[in-house]
Amino acid sequence: MDHLVCFLPGTLALGHWLGGLPAEDLDLAKALMRTCYQMYVQMPTGLSPEIVYFNMYPGATEDLYVKPADTHNLLRPETVESLLYLYRITNDPQYREWGWKIFEAFEKYTKVRDGGYSSIQNVRNPDNPQMRDKMESFFLAETLKYFYLLFDDYEEVPLSQWMFNTEAHPLPLPRMAVPTVNVTAV
């Protein structure tokens, strides 16, 4: 499963919350979010590789397999984006807890001492993750913005009034699109 797929839990949750998708899709969003989170916590650094494979072999000791060419982490936003949406929509604190663990891993393994962050070459090697001396612009523009909003108190950008485009830019929701169910906490 490619890390980029981890936008889907948030999309499914939003589709349900806005009234277009059935409750089963929210359940699917939660299950897929759990899988995306496992892509992080099952790695020794606590950071997701770019791609994981589900280990379906009988007797396998690990659920996820990572090919050597896929062990890098590019500081992608998709998982944190979905954590934000699921937290705001369900009010389940587990999504904030998962986000905090991921944030701590970014701080520990990707923060550059003199400033900034760097993608890393190997999420499976906590002793030498090999910084790549490259920080994609989406880390500042999206990943850190989603972390901020995940831990914000909802006052800055409430989902009842704003939606984010694929680059995490807030766009005002048309009044008719705002759900009529439990938007006070969202």
Side-chain angles (χ1 to χ4, degrees):
M1 184 166 106
D2 192 307
H3 186 279
L4 291 170
V5 172
C6 291
F7 81 92
L8 191 54
T11 300
L12 290 170
L14 281 170
H16 169 71
W17 181 66
L18 289 169
L21 296 178
E24 303 86 58
D25 286 359
L26 182 59
D27 294 336
L28 177 59
K30 292 175 183 180
L32 187 53
M33 185 75 258
R34 189 173 305 106
T35 301
C36 291
Y37 178 65
Q38 289 302 314
M39 289 172 63
Y40 282 81
V41 297
Q42 288 191 28
M43 298 301 122
T45 59
L47 292 170
S48 174
E50 189 68 9
I51 301 171
V52 300
Y53 298 86
F54 299 106
N55 198 340
M56 306 298 282
Y57 294 106
T61 58
E62 295 181 339
D63 294 331
L64 304 175
Y65 171 74
V66 183
K67 293 181 180 180
D70 301 325
T71 61
H72 56 283
N73 179 288
L74 300 177
L75 314 171
R76 289 197 183 276
E78 289 79 14
T79 296
V80 184
E81 175 185 15
S82 286
L83 287 169
L84 165 67
Y85 288 134
L86 279 159
Y87 175 70
R88 293 269 186 106
I89 290 166
T90 68
N91 289 312
D92 186 338
Q94 129 183 298
Y95 300 115
R96 267 189 170 172
E97 293 164 14
W98 290 356
W100 185 249
K101 287 181 181 179
I102 293 169
F103 179 77
E104 288 181 316
F106 276 126
E107 286 290 299
K108 183 174 183 177
Y109 292 104
T110 70
K111 191 170 186 175
V112 177
R113 185 179 334 144
D114 295 329
Y117 292 79
S118 173
S119 57
I120 59 174
Q121 187 60 41
N122 192 349
V123 298
R124 297 190 66 85
N125 187 346
D127 296 325
N128 185 17
Q130 303 169 11
M131 287 195 174
R132 300 173 88 184
D133 194 27
K134 184 176 183 179
M135 180 180 70
E136 300 286 352
S137 62
F138 57 69
F139 183 68
L140 295 175
E142 297 176 63
T143 308
L144 290 180
K145 187 185 302 181
Y146 287 128
F147 272 127
Y148 172 81
L149 292 169
L150 178 61
F151 299 107
D152 180 44
D153 61 8
Y154 301 4
E155 297 293 322
E156 297 293 326
V157 188
L159 290 184
S160 59
Q161 297 173 25
W162 299 91
M163 188 63 57
F164 297 96
N165 70 7
T166 59
E167 299 303 318
H169 300 300
L171 301 171
L173 274 177
R175 285 201 170 269
M176 63 186 192
V178 177
T180 57
V181 294
N182 192 20
V183 294
T184 57
V186 182

